[in-house]
């Protein structure tokens, strides 16, 4: 039986990893626009009250004011969120979801468990197990990496030394801050921890990247950026660049191969996530009605 | 008199040089030894009760499972009143990514005019040769493919076949990433208190690591 527009729209939930796509951007007036609207209102009031030298708005300003008032009273989702909703609807209606596949995702999947081991050792967590439960509520869904002693952890395995935020002191990517705020809705926590880990590429992954590189010195250079422990470097050297004359490899200790950013759950941000999710449901409902789906 | 002591023999699983790979190979064998869908299996029109998988299903499976395969004709010739073809079926090994192969042989008699003896080479039909060689090649491909496992029709016409069983001991022997993590944590633990915190997570595979470390710390 065909589902109604309301039923379909209500099944929308924000995926934790895509939270930023829904929550980015302003709804209603920007600060600058609010300021402009206040100025227009004051001018109208001054003019009406006969304040000396007060002038009425020009036609252009009146039109501008009308647009601002309309925008204030009819808040719309930002374009990014609308795009996300349209994509979600296509996936939902036609049962298609594009799997994200690239070298970064592949390495993330391959190194995930080793990342947890590094976290367990360096953050003194004791034994930890990857969370395999997917949780959802009315408006958000996701699967956090680890939830341990009331802290929710998200592990990001960096692709290489170049992309590892060793010297960053603020979260390098807001996307992950938002992702963890969504997880906190599902796994209430005292703290949230975004953890970057730098894990050796496996021999199989390394082989894929040096397969078309015939020069052993060049392979050495690639290994330097993908492998960080001496044992794994020596193994790769034996297999793929044993004639290289280079000798610049410096082992990076495990303590330097983890960078964590801890922060508190932000209830305001989480309220925004909920509000935006409901706006998305309404937007999807509108789209379905326009497509001719029954209302209820 | 000297008594010969029976040496402590390793288990077969302990002899694998790469147990992780051996486990994967075992898991692959599990897939390759599934029965083909019943609707794919045909009965030969002329050989009573002889079951086979049509070549298009074999090729479909080769493409689906190995993604890359190719057929090399090693040799062909005539034998008695027919022809034979020997092929090498190359396929990309899923685990190593290397090309590997199985050989296969196929033979078929030359078609002679209706009512004449198959041995009567004077009555060979027009086009009999050009039909016979591709047919022999097809049979050879099937012959090579069924060495890959039951899913390619390996045991369709055999009786009392032993179904493939995965090596459960091997699966137990291969340490999981979680067990590796535990080994690292045990290695790092420097007090009996820290060890106690890990106790609930010790599995059979890593019990000896735990006990060794516990004894070491107790002796301090």
């Amino acid at each position: 039986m065909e589902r109604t527009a309301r039923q379909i729209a209500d099944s929308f939930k924000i995926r934790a990893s895509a939270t930023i796509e829904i929550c980015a951007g302003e709804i209603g007036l920007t600060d600058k626009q609010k300021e402009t609207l206040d100025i227009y209102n004051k001018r109208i009031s001054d003019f009406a009250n006969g304040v000396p030298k007060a002038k009425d708005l020009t036609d252009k300003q009146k039109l501008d004011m009308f647009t601002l008032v309309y925008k204030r009273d009819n808040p719309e989702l930002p374009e990014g969120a609308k795009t996300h909703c349209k994509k979600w609807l296509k996936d939902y209606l036609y049962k298609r979801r594009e799997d994200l596949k690239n070298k970064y995702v592949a390495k993330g999947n391959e190194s995930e468990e080793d990342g947890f081991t590094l976290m367990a050792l360096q953050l003194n967590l004791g034994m930890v197990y990857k969370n395999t439960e997917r949780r959802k509520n009315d408006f958000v869904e996701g699967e956090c990496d680890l939830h341990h002693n009331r802290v929710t952890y998200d592990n990001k395995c960096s692709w290489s030394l170049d992309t590892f935020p060793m010297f960053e002191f603020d979260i390098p990517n807001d996307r992950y801050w938002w992702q963890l705020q969504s997880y906190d809705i599902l796994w209430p926590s005292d703290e949230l921890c975004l953890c970057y880990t730098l894990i050796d590429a496996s021999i199989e992954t390394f082989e894929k990247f040096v397969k078309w590189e015939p020069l052993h010195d060049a392979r050495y250079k690639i290994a330097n950026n993908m492998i960080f422990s001496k044992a794994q470097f020596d193994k790769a050297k034996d297999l793929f660049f044993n004639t290289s004359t280079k000798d610049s490899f410096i082992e990076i200790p495990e303590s330097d191969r983890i960078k964590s950013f801890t922060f508190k759950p932000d209830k305001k941000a989480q309220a925004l996530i909920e509000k935006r999710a409901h706006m998305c449901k309404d937007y999807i409902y509108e789209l379905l009605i326009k497509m001719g789906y029954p209302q209820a | 008199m000297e008594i010969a002591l029976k040496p402590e023999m390793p288990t077969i699983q302990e002899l694998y040089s790469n147990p992780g790979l051996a486990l994967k190979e075992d898991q692959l064998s599990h897939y390759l030894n599934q029965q083909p869908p019943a609707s794919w299996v045909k009965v030969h029109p002329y050989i009573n009760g002889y079951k086979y998988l049509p070549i298009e299903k074999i090729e479909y499976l080769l493409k689906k499972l190995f993604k890359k395969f190719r057929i090399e004709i090693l040799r062909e010739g005539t034998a008695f009143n027919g022809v034979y073809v020997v092929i090498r079926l190359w396929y990309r090994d899923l685990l190593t990514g290397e090309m590997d192969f199985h050989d296969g042989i196929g033979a078929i008699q030359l078609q002679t005019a209706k009512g004449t003896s198959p041995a009567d080479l004077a009555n060979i039909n027009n086009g009999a040769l050009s039909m016979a060689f591709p047919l022999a090649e097809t049979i050879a491909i099937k012959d090579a493919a069924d060495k890959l496992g039951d899913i390619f029709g390996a045991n369709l016409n055999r009786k009392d076949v032993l179904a493939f069983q995965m090596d459960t001991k091997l699966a137990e022997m291969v340490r999981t990433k979680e067990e590796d993590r535990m080994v690292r944590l045990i290695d790092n633990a420097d007090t009996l208190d820290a060890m106690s915190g890990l106790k609930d997570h010790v599995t059979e595979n890593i019990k000896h690591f735990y006990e060794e470390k516990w004894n070491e710390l107790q002796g301090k």
Side-chain angles (χ1 to χ4, degrees):
Chain A
M1 207 179 90
E2 191 178 40
R3 301 186 74 195
T4 65
R6 182 44 68 193
Q7 283 170 330
I8 296 173
D10 282 352
S11 61
F12 171 82
K13 294 175 200 317
I14 296 179
R15 266 185 294 114
S17 57
T19 309
I20 198 168
E21 288 166 27
I22 306 296
C23 293
E26 294 282 339
I27 286 184
L29 300 181
T30 63
D31 288 345
K32 176 81 184 156
Q33 286 170 328
K34 277 182 201 157
E35 203 180 300
T36 308
L37 189 59
D38 287 344
I39 292 170
Y40 288 157
N41 277 326
K42 187 169 184 304
R43 265 184 68 173
I44 287 174
S45 160
D46 287 354
F47 185 68
N49 293 329
V51 175
K53 292 186 182 174
K55 282 184 187 172
D56 195 6
L57 297 179
T58 62
D59 287 347
K60 190 171 173 289
Q61 286 169 330
K62 280 179 186 164
L63 183 65
D64 188 30
M65 184 177 174
F66 176 78
T67 312
L68 291 175
V69 170
Y70 183 85
K71 196 176 170 192
R72 183 194 65 196
D73 297 341
N74 298 279
E76 270 197 10
L77 277 174
E79 280 312 308
K82 284 183 181 175
T83 306
H84 183 90
C85 290
K86 287 174 188 165
K87 188 174 179 315
W88 178 87
L89 192 52
K90 282 179 199 165
D91 294 350
Y92 179 91
L93 293 176
Y94 306 110
K95 308 280 179 248
R96 283 166 170 78
R97 188 171 164 201
E98 203 179 328
D99 273 340
L100 190 58
K101 275 183 191 165
N102 57 44
K103 62 181 184 179
Y104 308 108
V105 175
K107 186 182 177 196
N109 292 339
E110 174 187 276
S111 312
E112 191 175 43
E113 287 287 350
D114 293 328
F116 296 155
T117 301
L118 196 57
M119 288 161 71
L121 287 162
Q122 297 300 323
L123 303 178
N124 291 319
L125 303 182
M127 185 56 186
V128 288
Y129 297 92
K130 177 183 162 51
N131 165 60
T132 53
E133 182 193 359
R134 191 168 184 82
R135 287 190 183 173
K136 53 183 163 185
N137 65 8
D138 189 34
F139 57 94
V140 66
E141 63 179 329
E143 196 174 316
C144 71
D145 282 344
L146 293 179
H147 183 69
H148 183 73
N149 292 341
R150 288 199 56 82
V151 181
T152 300
Y153 296 88
D154 195 36
N155 170 32
K156 303 292 175 199
C157 285
S158 294
W159 165 251
S160 66
L161 184 58
D162 288 341
T163 58
F164 179 66
M166 194 176 268
F167 304 115
E168 302 296 326
F169 298 98
D170 295 317
I171 292 177
N173 190 335
D174 286 345
R175 166 175 286 271
Y176 305 135
W177 185 87
W178 281 101
Q179 185 175 355
L180 275 155
Q181 296 299 341
S182 275
Y183 287 146
D184 183 66
I185 296 170
L186 302 166
W187 281 270
S189 314
D190 296 335
E191 276 191 333
L192 303 170
C193 182
L194 171 66
C195 215
Y196 285 83
T197 51
L198 192 58
I199 304 293
D200 284 335
S202 68
I203 291 297
E204 292 78 21
T205 300
F206 180 70
E207 185 181 11
K208 277 183 208 159
F209 278 84
V210 295
K211 197 157 65 176
W212 305 109
E213 175 53 71
L215 301 176
H216 281 206
D217 278 354
R219 287 180 173 192
Y220 189 104
K221 215 172 156 187
I222 295 170
N224 237 345
N225 205 25
M226 289 178 79
I227 298 174
F228 318 103
S229 70
K230 180 136 188 1
Q232 184 79 336
F233 193 86
D234 288 346
K235 200 169 166 187
K237 188 172 183 193
D238 281 350
L239 290 167
F240 305 112
F241 48 96
N242 52 12
T243 63
S244 172
T245 51
K246 285 181 174 284
D247 186 24
S248 59
F249 178 77
I250 297 172
E251 181 169 56
I252 303 178
E254 285 196 335
S255 54
D256 288 349
R257 288 201 266 132
I258 183 163
K259 183 79 187 183
S260 60
F261 301 91
T262 304
F263 47 94
K264 292 280 180 194
D266 184 329
K267 296 299 167 196
K268 265 189 182 171
Q270 292 172 15
L272 180 71
I273 293 170
E274 181 171 3
K275 188 179 167 194
R276 291 269 175 115
H278 290 299
M279 288 183 79
C280 287
K281 287 174 194 263
D282 289 342
Y283 178 68
I284 290 166
Y285 176 77
E286 280 171 31
L287 290 176
L288 287 162
I289 292 297
K290 282 180 192 163
M291 284 174 76
Y293 273 74
Q295 290 185 7
Chain B
M1 194 180 91
E2 271 188 1
I3 299 169
L5 288 171
K6 190 179 171 191
E8 188 77 13
M9 289 293 286
T11 62
I12 191 78
Q13 290 79 15
E14 284 167 344
L15 293 175
Y16 294 120
S17 59
N18 185 344
L21 184 62
L23 179 64
K24 282 186 179 178
E25 278 164 348
D26 211 40
Q27 288 162 340
L28 178 60
S29 291
H30 169 77
Y31 286 111
L32 292 176
N33 284 292
Q34 300 295 307
Q35 288 304 313
S39 60
W40 287 12
V41 180
K42 305 286 174 208
V43 178
H44 199 282
Y46 305 123
I47 308 172
N48 191 23
Y50 182 82
K51 293 174 188 165
Y52 70 99
L53 279 183
I55 186 68
E56 68 272 12
K57 298 293 188 294
I58 300 276
E59 286 173 346
Y60 170 81
L61 282 171
L62 287 169
K63 278 179 207 156
K64 187 83 182 164
L65 295 173
F66 299 105
K67 311 300 179 200
K68 183 174 180 178
F69 78 96
R70 65 190 169 84
I71 309 293
E72 179 185 356
I73 295 177
L74 294 180
R75 56 186 183 276
E76 69 290 312
T78 56
F80 306 107
N81 58 336
V83 299
Y84 70 87
V85 174
V86 180
I87 65 106
R88 178 158 288 175
L89 167 61
W90 290 93
Y91 59 93
R92 180 154 50 200
D93 187 294
L94 297 187
L95 304 179
T96 63
E98 303 287 321
M99 291 302 279
D100 203 347
F101 66 83
H102 278 301
D103 292 341
I105 184 165
I108 194 151
Q109 67 184 40
L110 290 169
Q111 214 174 51
T112 51
K114 202 176 174 184
T116 60
S117 159
D120 183 2
L121 294 184
N123 280 305
I124 293 173
N125 280 350
N126 275 344
L129 266 179
S130 50
M131 278 200 304
F133 276 110
L135 268 173
E137 186 196 1
T138 298
I139 295 165
I141 294 169
K142 288 188 195 177
D143 181 50
D146 78 12
K147 288 163 188 155
L148 289 162
D150 288 1
I151 199 158
F152 287 92
N155 289 315
L156 284 178
N157 296 295
R158 288 180 184 156
K159 286 178 183 167
D160 298 329
V161 174
L162 278 177
F164 178 80
Q165 298 275 325
M166 280 185 66
D167 188 341
T168 49
K169 273 192 183 168
L170 182 63
E172 281 166 18
M173 210 186 88
V174 176
R175 274 208 325 240
T176 63
K177 289 271 184 187
E178 284 166 352
E179 287 169 334
D180 283 341
R181 182 175 311 138
M182 268 296 285
V183 170
R184 294 284 315 273
L185 287 166
I186 291 168
D187 203 35
N188 258 27
D190 48 8
T191 62
L192 288 174
D193 254 7
M195 288 292 284
S196 299
L198 298 171
K199 196 179 175 186
D200 289 345
H201 308 281
V202 176
T203 59
E204 203 55 40
N205 272 352
I206 56 169
K207 209 172 162 186
H208 59 288
F209 282 102
Y210 187 84
E211 286 167 352
E212 266 173 38
K213 186 69 188 240
W214 181 269
N215 292 337
E216 183 194 316
L217 289 172
Q218 251 188 342
K220 273 188 180 173

